[in-house]
Amino acid sequence: MTTATPLAARPATEPAEPADVTSAGTDAGPDAGPDAAERAAPAGGRDPRRVLRAARDVAEDLAADAVARDRAGLPPSDETARLREAGLPAALVPPGRARGTDWRTGCAVVREIATADGSVGEVLARHYAHTWSGRFYGTGRQAAALERDSARERWLWAGAVGGPGAPELTLTPRGAGHLLTGRAAVDTAVTVADVYVVDAVCAETGDLLVVRVRSGDPGVRAEPARDRLGQRVAGAGSVTFDGVAVSPGRVIGARPHDAESTAPFTALAGPALRLALCQVALGVAEGALGEARDAVRSGPPPRRAPDPLREPPPGPSPDRDPDLLLAYGELASAARTAAAVVERATESMANALEAGPHLDVDEPADVAALVATAETVTARAALHITTRVLELADAPGLDRFWRDARVLTSHGSSTAHRLRDIGEHYLNGTYHRLTPAGGR
């Protein structure tokens, strides 16, 4: 495989500090989301076709040297430079006036990138999901300010919000703000992100607060993970916060403790992140299948005609072998089935996000059940397809898809738990995992 010349790297701009529009932390809830002006703006400030074209160009570039980069397993400095040069982190923020990308297009971009490189697809998926934090947890004015600054400064987001159990981070009040202390596991871009969004327990009140921290702030130390099985270029690791100053303007809002206190729109936070990761798993499955297909199509022709007295007549060419056709037909069906389920969940999530603060109280449960179904179907398809193609094709680096699928599908709850939740919703119309917890 030839190595592509990376697009010219553009240094990340140091994130500007948006104005302290509010002290936040108390206003998140049913009114969370963009303000009236933002909601009235046309969805998708950027032309979706241009964003998708940029994604296809980057995907083609990433595919050219994906095997070499996977083997090197380095932090994604070069990869994120390619994303920045194409303008994708700036484009993938929630839609507003003259900026941002709608949920359907954002998911299509993530899936396109993941088809070429699952690691980079996960970087972009988590970035996009984290940029919605202002709408999920903050006020409309906060969300508008964060999204405007993120698009203008081309921030790359990473972080950890809503993981299982209590956060390992603590916020200690100091003056008008807080000091952030502790260590958080971060799944992507740990050494190259501009902004981390994390949740922490307020030592004084016990509230769970979602805050943002700049990667260059004093007291912030990032450590990359080593020797990962898959998703080697995603840039996973940990971030240690040693008394990092958090001003009131950096407190995005409060994360509810339970489902009863969770506003309908905020309840979409966890499912949105999990659905973005479904796009990555689906892209990995489709990438593996496409690469295996290309290997079969480009198989070497016979070098000489066989001697009928010494050798049996050749069987059908690889692309006409009935057993091979049957195998690829089964795998293509599995991929298309998963795609159909994911696309239905994506449409449902998009409609819910567009409803904003007017979201019906029962709708998050319906969306969460569809996302759980998409997770279940996609995980099975990705593992099956990436395993089976190793038996059907001989192509360098094809094993990376299997390793990536294994790591991606190990996140979150087990298949059995998801199926029980789906059954609970189907039988009783309820869904217990409505809070952001478990969305990491």
Side-chain angles (χ1 to χ4, degrees), residues 24-35:
T26 59
D27 296 324
D31 293 330
D35 59 24

Side-chain angles (χ1 to χ4, degrees), residues 169-196:
L169 302 179
T170 302
L171 284 166
T172 304
R174 190 193 68 168
H178 297 82
L179 293 180
L180 179 64
T181 305
R183 183 175 176 273
V186 175
D187 290 291
T188 56
V190 68
T191 61
V192 296
D194 300 306
V195 176
Y196 303 117

Side-chain angles (χ1 to χ4, degrees), residues 62 110 113-114 117-126 231 276-277 280:
L62 290 169
V110 168
I113 297 296
D117 189 317
S119 293
V120 184
E122 186 180 1
V123 169
L124 209 53
R126 291 185 181 274
Q231 296 296 92
L277 294 177
V280 181

Side-chain angles (χ1 to χ4, degrees), residues 10-18 38 44-46 51 83-102 127-128 130-132 135 142-157 194-195 212:
R10 180 180 296 168
T13 305
E14 173 67 15
E17 181 71 18
E38 292 294 323
R46 290 173 178 258
V51 177
L83 295 178
R84 292 181 193 276
E85 181 64 21
L88 292 181
L92 263 64
V93 299
R97 182 178 298 160
R99 67 172 178 273
T101 301
D102 66 276
H127 159 83
Y128 187 46
H130 288 316
T131 64
W132 286 82
R135 301 198 185 192
Q142 278 182 302
L146 274 176
E147 293 158 15
R148 180 181 62 246
D149 291 337
S150 185
R152 183 182 64 239
E153 304 296 336
R154 297 171 299 169
W155 293 350
L156 180 67
W157 291 59
D194 300 306
V195 176
R212 66 176 186 87

